[in-house]
Each structure stands twice: as C-alpha cells, then as structure tokens.
Amino acid sequence: MGGWKLEVCKMAMYVTFPVATFHIFNQPEYFEKWVTTTKRELFPPENKSHRKEIEDAIKAMREKKDEEIRKALEEIEKREKLGNK
C-alpha cells in the first residue's frame, strides 16, 4: 500500500486541518461586529421611563401583598382573642 510515509502525511493532515480552521475562523475580527449587534438586540440600553414603570409596579405589588398579610394577621389575632375569652 502506501507505507509509513503516507500514514504520517495522513495523520499530519488529520491533526493540522481542524486546528488550522479553528485558528482561522475564530479570529475576533470575523465576528466582533456580529457579537456586538446581537448583544445590543438582546440587551438594549435601559430606558429610564420604563425602569420607573417597572419599579412602580413592583412597589405596588409589594404593598398589596403586605396589606394582605397584615389583614390575615389581624384576623388571626381576633380569633385568638375570641378563643381566650
């Protein structure tokens, strides 16, 4: 067949080709623009009015939950007072 020289050449090709393609196609210049545009699409700059609306909604939800907890505690206290009499 081919002999040991052919086998060495094939093995060099098997190792060199993937390493070379990895090195060539993973250069930052090739995908830097793509990465930055994709990142800006996924995580747009924060809008202050949207942030304020979100914070107000969270605050309203917490106040509502706190009010429900307070009412439940008052009702439990009333039951305990009636049970002790």
Side-chain angles (χ1 to χ4, degrees):
M1 294 299 244
W4 68 272
K5 292 180 183 179
L6 180 62
E7 292 300 320
V8 168
C9 185
K10 286 187 343 188
M11 190 63 191
M13 186 71 115
Y14 291 151
V15 172
T16 307
F17 181 73
V19 171
T21 55
F22 179 80
H23 175 71
I24 291 170
F25 291 108
N26 281 321
Q27 297 297 317
E29 300 89 38
Y30 288 120
F31 60 92
E32 185 174 4
K33 183 179 179 184
W34 176 80
V35 168
T36 54
T37 56
T38 304
K39 186 175 179 182
R40 286 190 179 141
E41 288 174 6
L42 294 175
F43 305 106
E46 198 170 283
N47 190 342
K48 296 200 186 268
S49 64
H50 290 149
R51 180 70 176 175
K52 178 78 169 132
E53 291 174 11
I54 291 171
E55 288 176 355
D56 291 342
I58 291 172
K59 185 177 178 181
M61 289 174 64
R62 285 183 180 162
E63 288 174 356
K64 182 180 177 184
K65 187 176 179 181
D66 290 344
E67 181 67 24
E68 292 173 357
I69 291 172
R70 187 185 58 78
K71 286 181 181 179
L73 289 174
E74 286 176 357
E75 190 170 318
I76 291 171
E77 289 175 357
K78 287 179 185 178
R79 286 184 190 168
E80 287 178 355
K81 286 180 183 178
L82 292 175
N84 289 337
K85 290 184 180 181

